[in-house]
Amino acid sequence: MLGIIKKDIKYAVLYQLPLMTLIITYLFIKRQSIDATFMALMGSFTFLIVISSVMISESNEERSKGYIFLSTLPLSSAAIVLGKFVLTLIIDLILVTLSLVLISTSPGTVLFKSVGEAFLILVGTTALIAAALIYIGSFRFGFTKTMRGATLLILVLVVAVPAVIREMLWPMMGSNVSYILDMVKDFNWFIVGLMGLIIYTGLMVIAVKVKSASSPESYT
């Protein structure tokens, strides 16, 4: 497992760390007030970094026929899958933690900060589940085939959903906004995060079975 993490972490550092550093530094310097735009930006950033890390890793595996090579080593399917899932979880937790710190140290009302924290926990959980599904699809069908179906879904989640919430649902809530925000604030969103981890673990078990059942030739 540790060997897989060491192999894949260089891609996360090489491609993602500079972007993460620039964005986090910019947002810390700007210290803009917590509002819907700010939350949408942080949520999109978190989701895209997690998913793009998976996409870069799996693209490299397919291009270099990495899974065929790994099948010649004394590595079990469980070790390979566990290494990839653990690294993705670490990246997700780092991003969510940085986002929560950013919210807590930025100007804004207590209500909007609470809603922002809830939203980012939900985004982090969604990103984990989406990443797990991409892994399962890659193990079963190959990365290219999986991404043909996943690209549209990712665009909907990252672009369409926030736009609909901001442009349609938010105005429709009208005078009920404060009531709804209070409900969101009082809800224990860490339970949602815990449930997400449980689902992620379940998907990892499924991924191990799919990876074990797939022949090396299916990745060509």
Side-chain angles (χ1 to χ4, degrees):
M1 182 191 78
L2 291 178
I4 297 297
I5 293 177
K6 290 179 181 179
K7 178 180 73 69
D8 286 352
I9 199 170
K10 64 182 179 182
Y11 298 120
V13 173
L14 179 63
Y15 293 103
Q16 309 296 356
L17 187 59
L19 177 60
M20 287 171 56
T21 303
L22 286 174
I23 293 177
I24 291 295
T25 301
Y26 170 77
L27 291 174
F28 264 109
I29 292 174
K30 290 291 289 183
R31 298 284 179 159
Q32 62 189 85
S33 180
I34 306 298
D35 55 17
T37 300
F38 182 89
M39 288 188 288
L41 175 64
M42 290 303 300
S44 298
F45 160 65
T46 298
F47 187 89
L48 285 174
I49 290 294
V50 172
I51 297 303
S52 62
S53 295
V54 175
M55 292 171 62
I56 291 170
S57 172
E58 292 306 290
S59 176
N60 284 325
E61 296 287 13
E62 184 170 80
R63 184 174 60 254
S64 64
K65 297 182 175 12
Y67 285 123
I68 295 178
F69 172 73
L70 290 175
S71 68
T72 65
L73 301 178
L75 283 173
S76 65
S77 295
I80 295 172
V81 173
L82 185 60
K84 289 183 172 293
F85 271 64
V86 168
L87 179 57
T88 300
L89 176 60
I90 292 172
I91 293 172
D92 186 84
L93 290 176
I94 290 174
L95 289 170
V96 172
T97 300
L98 286 174
S99 298
L100 294 178
V101 170
L102 184 59
I103 284 181
S104 67
T105 57
S106 297
T109 65
V110 174
L111 178 59
F112 257 96
K113 285 188 176 186
S114 298
V115 172
E117 291 170 355
F119 173 71
L120 286 167
I121 291 173
L122 182 60
V123 168
T125 302
T126 303
L128 276 182
I129 294 174
L133 293 175
I134 291 175
Y135 276 130
I136 292 173
S138 296
F139 297 151
R140 176 62 182 84
F141 304 107
F143 175 72
T144 299
K145 292 180 180 178
T146 298
M147 288 315 301
R148 287 173 185 167
T151 300
L152 179 60
L153 177 60
I154 292 172
L155 288 174
V156 169
L157 289 173
V158 174
V159 179
V161 172
V164 169
I165 292 175
R166 183 177 179 184
E167 302 299 330
M168 297 179 62
L169 298 182
W170 193 269
M172 287 172 58
M173 286 189 277
S175 59
N176 294 321
V177 170
S178 297
Y179 174 72
I180 295 173
L181 290 179
D182 282 330
M183 288 181 59
V184 172
K185 176 178 70 70
D186 294 333
F187 190 80
N188 191 339
W189 285 92
F190 285 99
I191 293 179
V192 174
L194 180 60
M195 291 177 60
L197 288 176
I198 293 173
I199 295 173
Y200 187 66
T201 302
L203 291 172
M204 182 178 67
V205 173
I206 293 174
V208 170
K209 294 181 179 180
V210 172
K211 179 71 178 65
S212 298
S214 300
S215 64
E217 289 76 14
S218 65
Y219 302 114
T220 60

Coordinates of all heavy atoms in Angstrom, one line a residue, residues 121-196:
I121 N -18.0 20.5 4.0 CA -18.0 19.1 4.4 C -18.8 18.2 3.4 O -18.4 17.1 3.1 CB -18.6 19.0 5.9 CG1 -17.7 19.6 6.9 CG2 -18.9 17.5 6.2 CD1 -18.2 19.7 8.3
L122 N -20.0 18.8 3.0 CA -20.8 18.1 2.0 C -20.0 17.9 0.7 O -20.1 16.8 0.1 CB -22.1 18.8 1.8 CG -23.1 18.2 0.8 CD1 -23.5 16.8 1.3 CD2 -24.3 19.0 0.6
V123 N -19.3 19.0 0.3 CA -18.6 18.9 -1.0 C -17.4 17.9 -0.9 O -17.2 17.1 -1.8 CB -18.0 20.3 -1.3 CG1 -16.9 20.2 -2.4 CG2 -19.1 21.2 -1.8
G124 N -16.7 17.9 0.3 CA -15.7 16.9 0.5 C -16.1 15.5 0.5 O -15.5 14.6 -0.1
T125 N -17.3 15.3 1.1 CA -17.9 13.9 1.1 C -18.3 13.5 -0.3 O -18.0 12.4 -0.8 CB -19.2 13.9 2.0 OG1 -18.8 14.3 3.3 CG2 -19.8 12.5 2.0
T126 N -18.9 14.4 -1.1 CA -19.3 14.2 -2.5 C -18.1 13.9 -3.3 O -18.1 12.9 -4.2 CB -20.1 15.3 -3.1 OG1 -21.2 15.6 -2.2 CG2 -20.6 15.1 -4.5
A127 N -17.0 14.6 -3.2 CA -15.8 14.4 -3.9 C -15.2 13.0 -3.7 O -14.8 12.3 -4.6 CB -14.8 15.5 -3.6
L128 N -15.2 12.6 -2.4 CA -14.7 11.2 -2.1 C -15.5 10.2 -2.8 O -15.0 9.2 -3.4 CB -14.8 11.0 -0.6 CG -13.6 11.5 0.3 CD1 -13.9 11.2 1.7 CD2 -12.3 11.0 -0.2
I129 N -16.8 10.3 -2.8 CA -17.7 9.3 -3.4 C -17.5 9.3 -4.9 O -17.4 8.2 -5.5 CB -19.2 9.5 -3.0 CG1 -19.4 9.3 -1.5 CG2 -20.1 8.6 -3.8 CD1 -20.7 9.6 -1.0
A130 N -17.4 10.5 -5.5 CA -17.2 10.5 -6.9 C -15.9 9.9 -7.3 O -15.8 9.2 -8.3 CB -17.3 12.0 -7.4
A131 N -14.8 10.2 -6.5 CA -13.5 9.6 -6.8 C -13.6 8.1 -6.7 O -13.0 7.4 -7.6 CB -12.5 10.2 -5.8
A132 N -14.3 7.6 -5.7 CA -14.4 6.1 -5.6 C -15.0 5.5 -6.8 O -14.6 4.5 -7.3 CB -15.1 5.8 -4.3
L133 N -16.1 6.2 -7.3 CA -16.8 5.6 -8.5 C -15.9 5.7 -9.7 O -16.0 4.8 -10.6 CB -18.1 6.5 -8.7 CG -19.2 6.3 -7.6 CD1 -20.3 7.3 -7.9 CD2 -19.6 4.9 -7.5
I134 N -15.1 6.7 -9.8 CA -14.1 6.8 -11.0 C -13.1 5.6 -10.9 O -12.8 5.0 -11.9 CB -13.4 8.1 -11.0 CG1 -14.4 9.3 -11.3 CG2 -12.3 8.1 -12.0 CD1 -13.8 10.6 -11.3
Y135 N -12.6 5.4 -9.7 CA -11.7 4.2 -9.5 C -12.4 2.9 -9.9 O -11.8 2.1 -10.6 CB -11.2 4.1 -8.0 CG -10.1 5.0 -7.7 CD1 -10.2 5.9 -6.6 CD2 -8.9 5.1 -8.5 CE1 -9.1 6.7 -6.2 CE2 -7.9 5.9 -8.1 CZ -8.0 6.7 -7.0 OH -6.9 7.5 -6.7
I136 N -13.6 2.7 -9.4 CA -14.3 1.5 -9.7 C -14.5 1.3 -11.3 O -14.3 0.3 -11.8 CB -15.7 1.4 -9.0 CG1 -15.4 1.3 -7.5 CG2 -16.5 0.2 -9.5 CD1 -16.7 1.4 -6.7
G137 N -14.9 2.4 -11.9 CA -15.1 2.4 -13.3 C -13.8 2.2 -14.1 O -13.8 1.4 -15.1
S138 N -12.7 2.7 -13.6 CA -11.4 2.6 -14.2 C -10.9 1.1 -14.1 O -10.4 0.5 -15.1 CB -10.4 3.5 -13.6 OG -10.7 4.8 -13.9
F139 N -11.2 0.5 -12.9 CA -10.8 -0.9 -12.7 C -11.6 -1.8 -13.6 O -11.1 -2.8 -14.1 CB -10.9 -1.3 -11.3 CG -10.1 -0.5 -10.3 CD1 -10.5 -0.3 -9.0 CD2 -8.8 0.0 -10.7 CE1 -9.7 0.4 -8.1 CE2 -8.0 0.7 -9.8 CZ -8.5 0.9 -8.5
R140 N -12.8 -1.5 -13.9 CA -13.7 -2.4 -14.6 C -13.7 -2.1 -16.1 O -13.6 -3.1 -16.9 CB -15.2 -2.1 -14.1 CG -16.2 -3.0 -14.9 CD -16.0 -4.4 -14.7 NE -17.0 -5.2 -15.5 CZ -16.9 -5.5 -16.8 NH1 -15.8 -5.1 -17.5 NH2 -17.8 -6.2 -17.4
F141 N -13.7 -0.8 -16.5 CA -13.8 -0.5 -18.0 C -12.6 0.1 -18.5 O -12.5 0.3 -19.8 CB -15.0 0.4 -18.2 CG -16.3 -0.2 -17.7 CD1 -16.9 0.4 -16.6 CD2 -16.9 -1.2 -18.3 CE1 -18.1 -0.1 -16.1 CE2 -18.1 -1.7 -17.9 CZ -18.7 -1.2 -16.7
G142 N -11.6 0.6 -17.7 CA -10.5 1.4 -18.2 C -10.8 2.9 -18.0 O -12.0 3.3 -17.9
F143 N -9.8 3.6 -17.8 CA -10.0 5.1 -17.5 C -10.7 5.8 -18.6 O -11.6 6.6 -18.4 CB -8.6 5.7 -17.2 CG -8.7 7.2 -17.0 CD1 -9.2 7.7 -15.8 CD2 -8.2 8.1 -18.0 CE1 -9.3 9.1 -15.6 CE2 -8.3 9.4 -17.8 CZ -8.8 9.9 -16.6
T144 N -10.3 5.6 -19.9 CA -10.8 6.4 -21.0 C -12.3 6.2 -21.1 O -13.1 7.1 -21.2 CB -10.2 6.0 -22.3 OG1 -8.8 6.3 -22.2 CG2 -10.8 6.8 -23.5
K145 N -12.8 4.9 -21.1 CA -14.2 4.6 -21.2 C -15.0 5.2 -20.0 O -16.1 5.7 -20.1 CB -14.4 3.1 -21.3 CG -13.9 2.5 -22.5 CD -14.2 1.0 -22.5 CE -13.7 0.4 -23.8 NZ -13.9 -1.1 -23.8
T146 N -14.4 5.2 -18.8 CA -15.0 5.7 -17.6 C -15.2 7.2 -17.7 O -16.3 7.7 -17.4 CB -14.2 5.3 -16.4 OG1 -14.1 3.9 -16.2 CG2 -14.8 5.9 -15.1
M147 N -14.2 7.9 -18.2 CA -14.2 9.3 -18.2 C -15.2 9.9 -19.2 O -15.7 11.0 -19.1 CB -12.9 9.9 -18.4 CG -11.9 9.8 -17.2 SD -12.7 10.2 -15.7 CE -13.2 11.9 -16.0
R148 N -15.5 9.1 -20.3 CA -16.5 9.5 -21.2 C -17.8 9.7 -20.6 O -18.6 10.6 -20.9 CB -16.6 8.5 -22.4 CG -15.4 8.5 -23.3 CD -15.5 7.3 -24.3 NE -14.3 7.2 -25.1 CZ -13.9 6.2 -25.9 NH1 -14.8 5.1 -25.9 NH2 -12.8 6.2 -26.6
G149 N -18.2 8.8 -19.7 CA -19.4 8.9 -19.0 C -19.4 9.8 -17.8 O -20.4 10.4 -17.4
A150 N -18.2 10.0 -17.2 CA -18.1 10.8 -16.0 C -17.9 12.3 -16.2 O -18.3 13.1 -15.4 CB -16.9 10.3 -15.1
T151 N -17.4 12.6 -17.4 CA -17.2 14.0 -17.7 C -18.4 14.9 -17.6 O -18.4 16.0 -17.0 CB -16.6 14.2 -19.1 OG1 -15.3 13.5 -19.2 CG2 -16.3 15.7 -19.4
L152 N -19.5 14.4 -18.2 CA -20.8 15.1 -18.1 C -21.3 15.3 -16.7 O -21.7 16.4 -16.3 CB -21.8 14.4 -19.0 CG -23.2 15.1 -19.0 CD1 -23.1 16.5 -19.6 CD2 -24.2 14.3 -19.9
L153 N -21.2 14.2 -15.9 CA -21.6 14.2 -14.5 C -20.8 15.2 -13.7 O -21.3 16.0 -12.9 CB -21.5 12.8 -13.9 CG -21.8 12.7 -12.4 CD1 -23.3 13.2 -12.2 CD2 -21.6 11.3 -11.9
I154 N -19.5 15.3 -14.0 CA -18.6 16.2 -13.2 C -19.0 17.7 -13.6 O -19.0 18.5 -12.7 CB -17.1 15.9 -13.6 CG1 -16.7 14.6 -13.0 CG2 -16.2 17.0 -13.0 CD1 -15.3 14.1 -13.4
L155 N -19.2 17.9 -14.9 CA -19.6 19.3 -15.3 C -20.9 19.7 -14.6 O -21.1 20.8 -14.2 CB -19.7 19.3 -16.8 CG -18.4 19.3 -17.6 CD1 -18.7 19.2 -19.1 CD2 -17.6 20.5 -17.3
V156 N -21.9 18.8 -14.5 CA -23.1 19.1 -13.9 C -22.9 19.4 -12.4 O -23.5 20.4 -11.9 CB -24.1 17.9 -14.0 CG1 -25.3 18.1 -13.2 CG2 -24.5 17.7 -15.5
L157 N -22.1 18.6 -11.7 CA -21.9 18.8 -10.3 C -21.2 20.1 -10.0 O -21.5 20.8 -9.1 CB -21.1 17.6 -9.7 CG -21.9 16.3 -9.6 CD1 -20.9 15.2 -9.2 CD2 -23.0 16.4 -8.6
V158 N -20.2 20.4 -10.9 CA -19.3 21.6 -10.6 C -19.9 22.9 -11.1 O -19.8 23.9 -10.5 CB -17.9 21.4 -11.2 CG1 -17.0 22.6 -11.1 CG2 -17.2 20.2 -10.6
V159 N -20.6 22.8 -12.3 CA -21.1 24.0 -12.9 C -22.6 24.2 -12.7 O -23.0 25.2 -12.2 CB -20.7 24.0 -14.4 CG1 -21.2 25.3 -15.1 CG2 -19.2 23.9 -14.6
A160 N -23.3 23.2 -13.2 CA -24.8 23.4 -13.2 C -25.4 23.5 -11.8 O -26.3 24.3 -11.6 CB -25.4 22.2 -14.0
V161 N -25.0 22.6 -10.9 CA -25.7 22.6 -9.6 C -25.5 23.9 -8.8 O -26.5 24.5 -8.4 CB -25.2 21.3 -8.8 CG1 -25.7 21.4 -7.3 CG2 -25.7 20.0 -9.4
P162 N -24.2 24.4 -8.7 CA -24.1 25.7 -8.0 C -24.8 26.8 -8.7 O -25.4 27.7 -8.0 CB -22.5 25.9 -8.1 CG -22.0 24.6 -8.2 CD -22.9 23.8 -9.1
A163 N -24.9 26.8 -10.1 CA -25.6 27.8 -10.8 C -27.1 27.8 -10.5 O -27.7 28.8 -10.3 CB -25.3 27.7 -12.3
V164 N -27.6 26.6 -10.5 CA -29.1 26.4 -10.2 C -29.4 26.9 -8.8 O -30.4 27.6 -8.5 CB -29.5 25.0 -10.4 CG1 -30.9 24.7 -9.9 CG2 -29.5 24.6 -11.9
I165 N -28.5 26.5 -7.8 CA -28.8 26.9 -6.5 C -28.7 28.4 -6.3 O -29.6 29.0 -5.7 CB -27.7 26.3 -5.5 CG1 -27.9 24.8 -5.5 CG2 -27.8 26.9 -4.1 CD1 -26.8 24.0 -4.7
R166 N -27.8 29.0 -6.9 CA -27.6 30.5 -6.8 C -28.6 31.3 -7.5 O -29.2 32.3 -7.0 CB -26.2 30.9 -7.2 CG -25.9 32.4 -7.0 CD -24.5 32.8 -7.4 NE -24.3 34.2 -7.2 CZ -23.2 34.8 -7.5 NH1 -22.2 34.1 -8.0 NH2 -23.1 36.1 -7.3
E167 N -28.9 30.9 -8.8 CA -29.8 31.7 -9.6 C -31.3 31.4 -9.5 O -32.1 32.2 -9.8 CB -29.4 31.5 -11.1 CG -27.9 31.9 -11.4 CD -27.6 33.4 -11.1 OE1 -28.6 34.2 -11.2 OE2 -26.5 33.7 -10.7
M168 N -31.6 30.1 -9.1 CA -33.0 29.7 -9.1 C -33.5 29.4 -7.7 O -34.5 30.0 -7.2 CB -33.2 28.5 -10.0 CG -32.9 28.8 -11.5 SD -33.2 27.4 -12.5 CE -34.9 27.1 -12.3
L169 N -32.9 28.5 -7.0 CA -33.4 28.1 -5.7 C -33.2 29.1 -4.6 O -34.1 29.3 -3.8 CB -32.6 26.8 -5.3 CG -32.8 25.6 -6.2 CD1 -32.1 24.4 -5.6 CD2 -34.3 25.3 -6.3
W170 N -32.1 29.8 -4.7 CA -31.8 30.9 -3.6 C -32.9 32.0 -3.7 O -33.5 32.3 -2.7 CB -30.4 31.4 -3.8 CG -29.9 32.3 -2.7 CD1 -30.1 33.6 -2.5 CD2 -29.3 31.8 -1.5 NE1 -29.5 34.0 -1.3 CE2 -29.0 32.9 -0.7 CE3 -28.9 30.6 -1.1 CZ2 -28.4 32.8 0.5 CZ3 -28.2 30.5 0.2 CH2 -28.0 31.6 0.9
P171 N -33.2 32.5 -4.9 CA -34.2 33.6 -4.9 C -35.6 33.0 -4.5 O -36.4 33.7 -3.9 CB -34.2 34.0 -6.4 CG -32.9 33.7 -6.9 CD -32.5 32.4 -6.2
M172 N -35.9 31.7 -4.9 CA -37.2 31.2 -4.6 C -37.4 31.0 -3.1 O -38.6 31.0 -2.7 CB -37.3 29.8 -5.3 CG -37.5 29.9 -6.8 SD -37.4 28.3 -7.6 CE -38.7 27.4 -6.8
M173 N -36.3 30.8 -2.4 CA -36.5 30.7 -0.9 C -37.0 31.9 -0.2 O -37.7 31.9 0.8 CB -35.2 30.2 -0.3 CG -34.8 28.8 -0.6 SD -33.4 28.2 0.3 CE -32.0 28.8 -0.7
G174 N -36.7 33.1 -0.8 CA -37.2 34.3 -0.4 C -37.1 34.6 1.1 O -36.0 34.5 1.7
S175 N -38.2 34.8 1.8 CA -38.2 35.1 3.2 C -37.8 33.9 4.1 O -37.6 34.0 5.3 CB -39.5 35.7 3.6 OG -40.6 34.7 3.4
N176 N -37.8 32.7 3.5 CA -37.5 31.5 4.2 C -36.0 31.2 4.3 O -35.6 30.2 4.9 CB -38.2 30.3 3.6 CG -39.7 30.4 3.7 OD1 -40.3 30.8 4.7 ND2 -40.4 29.9 2.6
V177 N -35.2 32.1 3.7 CA -33.8 31.8 3.7 C -33.2 31.7 5.1 O -32.5 30.8 5.4 CB -33.1 33.0 2.9 CG1 -31.6 32.8 3.1 CG2 -33.4 32.9 1.4
S178 N -33.5 32.7 5.9 CA -33.0 32.7 7.3 C -33.4 31.4 8.0 O -32.5 30.8 8.8 CB -33.5 33.9 8.1 OG -33.0 35.1 7.4
Y179 N -34.6 31.0 7.9 CA -35.1 29.8 8.6 C -34.3 28.5 8.1 O -33.9 27.7 8.9 CB -36.6 29.6 8.3 CG -37.1 28.3 8.8 CD1 -37.3 28.1 10.2 CD2 -37.5 27.2 8.0 CE1 -37.8 26.9 10.7 CE2 -38.0 26.0 8.4 CZ -38.1 25.9 9.8 OH -38.6 24.7 10.3
I180 N -34.1 28.5 6.7 CA -33.4 27.3 6.2 C -32.0 27.3 6.6 O -31.4 26.3 6.9 CB -33.6 27.3 4.6 CG1 -35.0 27.1 4.2 CG2 -32.7 26.3 4.0 CD1 -35.3 27.3 2.7
L181 N -31.4 28.5 6.6 CA -30.0 28.6 7.0 C -29.8 28.2 8.4 O -28.8 27.6 8.8 CB -29.5 30.1 6.8 CG -29.3 30.5 5.3 CD1 -28.8 31.9 5.2 CD2 -28.3 29.6 4.6
D182 N -30.7 28.6 9.3 CA -30.7 28.2 10.7 C -30.7 26.7 10.8 O -30.0 26.1 11.7 CB -31.8 28.8 11.5 CG -31.5 30.3 11.8 OD1 -30.4 30.6 12.0 OD2 -32.5 31.1 11.9
M183 N -31.6 26.0 10.0 CA -31.7 24.6 10.0 C -30.3 23.9 9.6 O -29.9 23.0 10.2 CB -32.8 24.1 9.1 CG -34.2 24.4 9.6 SD -35.4 23.8 8.4 CE -35.0 22.0 8.4
V184 N -29.8 24.5 8.6 CA -28.5 24.0 8.1 C -27.4 24.2 9.2 O -26.6 23.3 9.4 CB -28.0 24.7 6.8 CG1 -26.6 24.3 6.4 CG2 -29.0 24.4 5.7
K185 N -27.4 25.3 9.8 CA -26.4 25.7 10.8 C -26.5 24.7 12.0 O -25.5 24.3 12.6 CB -26.6 27.1 11.3 CG -25.7 27.5 12.5 CD -25.9 28.9 12.8 CE -27.2 29.1 13.5 NZ -27.3 28.5 14.9
D186 N -27.7 24.3 12.4 CA -27.9 23.5 13.6 C -27.8 22.0 13.3 O -27.7 21.2 14.2 CB -29.3 23.8 14.2 CG -29.5 25.2 14.7 OD1 -28.5 25.8 15.1 OD2 -30.6 25.7 14.7
F187 N -27.7 21.7 12.0 CA -27.6 20.2 11.7 C -26.2 19.8 11.9 O -25.2 20.5 11.7 CB -28.0 20.0 10.2 CG -28.1 18.6 9.8 CD1 -29.2 17.8 10.1 CD2 -27.1 17.9 9.2 CE1 -29.3 16.5 9.8 CE2 -27.1 16.6 8.8 CZ -28.3 15.9 9.1
N188 N -26.0 18.6 12.4 CA -24.7 18.0 12.7 C -24.1 17.5 11.4 O -24.3 16.3 11.0 CB -24.7 16.9 13.7 CG -23.4 16.5 14.2 OD1 -22.3 16.8 13.6 ND2 -23.3 16.0 15.4
W189 N -23.4 18.3 10.7 CA -22.8 17.9 9.4 C -21.6 17.0 9.5 O -21.2 16.4 8.5 CB -22.5 19.2 8.6 CG -23.7 19.8 8.0 CD1 -24.4 20.8 8.6 CD2 -24.4 19.5 6.8 NE1 -25.5 21.1 7.9 CE2 -25.5 20.3 6.8 CE3 -24.2 18.5 5.8 CZ2 -26.4 20.2 5.7 CZ3 -25.1 18.5 4.8 CH2 -26.2 19.3 4.7
F190 N -21.1 16.9 10.7 CA -20.0 16.0 10.8 C -20.5 14.5 10.8 O -19.7 13.6 10.4 CB -19.2 16.2 12.2 CG -18.4 17.4 12.1 CD1 -18.8 18.6 12.7 CD2 -17.1 17.4 11.6 CE1 -18.0 19.8 12.6 CE2 -16.3 18.5 11.5 CZ -16.8 19.7 12.0
I191 N -21.8 14.3 11.1 CA -22.4 13.0 10.9 C -22.4 12.7 9.4 O -22.2 11.5 9.0 CB -23.8 13.0 11.5 CG1 -23.7 13.1 13.0 CG2 -24.5 11.7 11.1 CD1 -25.0 13.2 13.7
V192 N -22.8 13.7 8.6 CA -22.8 13.5 7.1 C -21.4 13.1 6.7 O -21.2 12.2 5.8 CB -23.2 14.8 6.4 CG1 -23.1 14.6 4.9 CG2 -24.7 15.1 6.8
G193 N -20.4 13.8 7.2 CA -19.0 13.4 6.8 C -18.6 12.0 7.2 O -18.0 11.3 6.5
L194 N -19.1 11.6 8.4 CA -18.8 10.2 8.9 C -19.5 9.2 8.0 O -18.9 8.2 7.7 CB -19.3 10.1 10.4 CG -19.1 8.7 11.0 CD1 -17.6 8.3 11.0 CD2 -19.6 8.7 12.4
M195 N -20.8 9.5 7.7 CA -21.5 8.6 6.8 C -20.8 8.5 5.4 O -20.8 7.4 4.8 CB -22.9 9.1 6.6 CG -23.8 9.0 7.9 SD -25.5 9.7 7.6 CE -26.1 8.7 6.3
G196 N -20.3 9.6 5.0 CA -19.5 9.6 3.7 C -18.3 8.7 3.8 O -18.0 8.0 2.8

